């Protein structure tokens, strides 16, 4: 199976869906969390929108404080499981919510956004875009191995030629654009550095979306998207 086919399988829709598990029973889904990163024209993240629903509350709520806490608190992240829309719909119905609203209606529940900003990008070269998807969360050896396999990461060069923190590199050609992504450890966080050459528009948006979805499926929670060049 090609890398492109694997990435297409990761598509979970336009919004990001998570099951929100009960505090007292990690195996029991208590509700849903729906999120969306709003991107600028250069595909850096401008803000994070989110809304949650629990059967106990019976309604939707939006909390920037909760969205921030997810990315800062490992214990809170253990209550989340990334799912696609079909699984979110099934859980919502099973918990008594009925039919899950469509995505435009779900956006109507986004009221308390997290503003995101970054400095001016570092220009590395004409005709090249580099974007960094930064994640909160940890990868144990099993999850790292599985994620590396799904991302089709090749071996990094020998230690003398290795970039700091890079675990492996994947490649994909979409139409006339070459994409490369490096899974990298940066301080206490994980990131995917995505390079497109020549600079791409909608194709790059699609690749960023798919790579983020694959990582979400392995316990990482996207925190922002920065444009590096």
């Amino acid at each position: 199976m090609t890398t492109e086919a694997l990435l297409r399988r990761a598509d979970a829709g336009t919004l990001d869906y998570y099951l929100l598990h009960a505090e007292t029973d990690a195996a029991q889904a208590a509700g849903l969390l729906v999120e969306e990163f709003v991107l600028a024209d250069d595909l850096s993240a401008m803000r994070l929108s989110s809304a949650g629903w629990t059967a106990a509350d019976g309604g939707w709520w939006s909390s920037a404080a909760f969205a921030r806490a997810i990315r800062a608190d490992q214990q809170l992240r253990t209550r989340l499981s990334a799912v696609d829309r079909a699984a979110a719909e099934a859980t919502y119905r099973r918990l008594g919510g009925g039919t899950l609203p469509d995505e435009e209606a779900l956006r109507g529940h986004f009221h308390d956004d997290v503003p995101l900003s970054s400095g001016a990008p570092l220009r590395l070269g004409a005709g090249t875009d580099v974007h960094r998807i930064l994640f909160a969360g940890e990868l144990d050896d099993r999850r790292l191995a599985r994620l590396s396999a799904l991302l089709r990461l090749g071996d990094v060069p020998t230690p003398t030629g290795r970039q700091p923190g890079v675990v492996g590199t994947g490649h994909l050609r979409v139409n006339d654009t070459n994409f490369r992504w490096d899974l990298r450890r940066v301080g206490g966080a994980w990131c995917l550095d995505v390079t497109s050459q020549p600079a791409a528009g909608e194709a790059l948006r699609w690749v960023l979306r798919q790579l983020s979805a694959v990582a979400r499926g392995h316990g990482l929670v996207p925190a922002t998207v920065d444009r590096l060049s």
Side-chain angles (χ1 to χ4, degrees):
M1 182 176 293
T2 66
T3 303
E4 184 171 1
L6 282 169
L7 293 181
R8 287 189 184 279
R9 288 178 60 193
D11 193 0
T14 303
L15 302 180
D16 291 341
Y17 297 90
Y18 299 88
L19 300 187
L20 181 60
H21 297 279
E23 292 185 60
T24 56
D25 185 355
Q28 178 64 42
L32 298 177
L33 182 69
V34 182
E35 295 191 333
E36 180 177 43
F37 283 92
V38 179
L39 304 182
D41 290 342
D42 67 357
L43 301 186
S44 62
M46 299 171 56
R47 66 181 185 273
L48 169 62
S49 302
S50 68
W53 176 90
T54 59
D57 294 331
W60 288 89
W61 44 267
S62 182
S63 171
F66 186 75
R68 290 190 184 97
I70 287 169
R71 288 152 177 87
D73 187 339
Q74 174 64 25
Q75 190 62 35
L76 185 56
R77 284 195 300 274
T78 63
R79 295 181 57 199
L80 295 184
S81 297
V83 294
D84 60 15
R85 180 174 170 89
E89 288 174 334
T91 300
Y92 189 72
R93 185 177 298 108
R94 178 171 57 81
L95 293 177
T99 301
L100 184 66
D102 63 29
E103 295 199 330
E104 194 57 37
L106 287 174
R107 288 188 179 92
H109 297 297
F110 295 158
H111 301 302
D112 189 14
D113 293 348
V114 178
L116 302 170
S117 62
S118 60
L122 173 65
R123 300 294 177 181
L124 299 182
T128 300
D129 270 339
V130 182
H131 287 73
R132 170 169 291 176
I133 313 171
L134 186 67
F135 298 94
E138 293 296 329
L139 292 171
D140 58 22
D141 290 344
R142 180 183 60 83
R143 283 184 169 180
L144 177 58
R146 181 59 176 158
L147 178 59
S148 298
L150 286 177
L151 292 176
R152 290 292 196 264
L153 299 184
D155 293 335
V156 294
T158 59
T160 55
R162 181 177 302 175
Q163 298 184 54
V166 173
V167 173
T169 299
H171 300 271
L172 176 66
R173 184 172 178 84
V174 179
N175 298 327
D176 295 324
T177 303
N178 293 311
F179 291 95
R180 187 189 81 234
W181 50 88
D182 300 318
L183 179 62
R184 185 191 300 266
R185 185 73 165 167
V186 179
W190 290 93
C191 69
L192 280 165
D193 287 346
V194 184
T195 302
S196 60
Q197 193 171 21
E202 287 307 307
L204 174 58
R205 184 187 297 270
W206 176 82
V207 168
L208 292 173
R209 172 71 183 158
Q210 307 315 311
L211 292 173
S212 180
V214 173
R216 286 177 57 242
H218 291 76
L220 296 179
V221 178
T224 192
V225 181
D226 288 327
R227 186 183 180 198
L228 304 183
S229 69

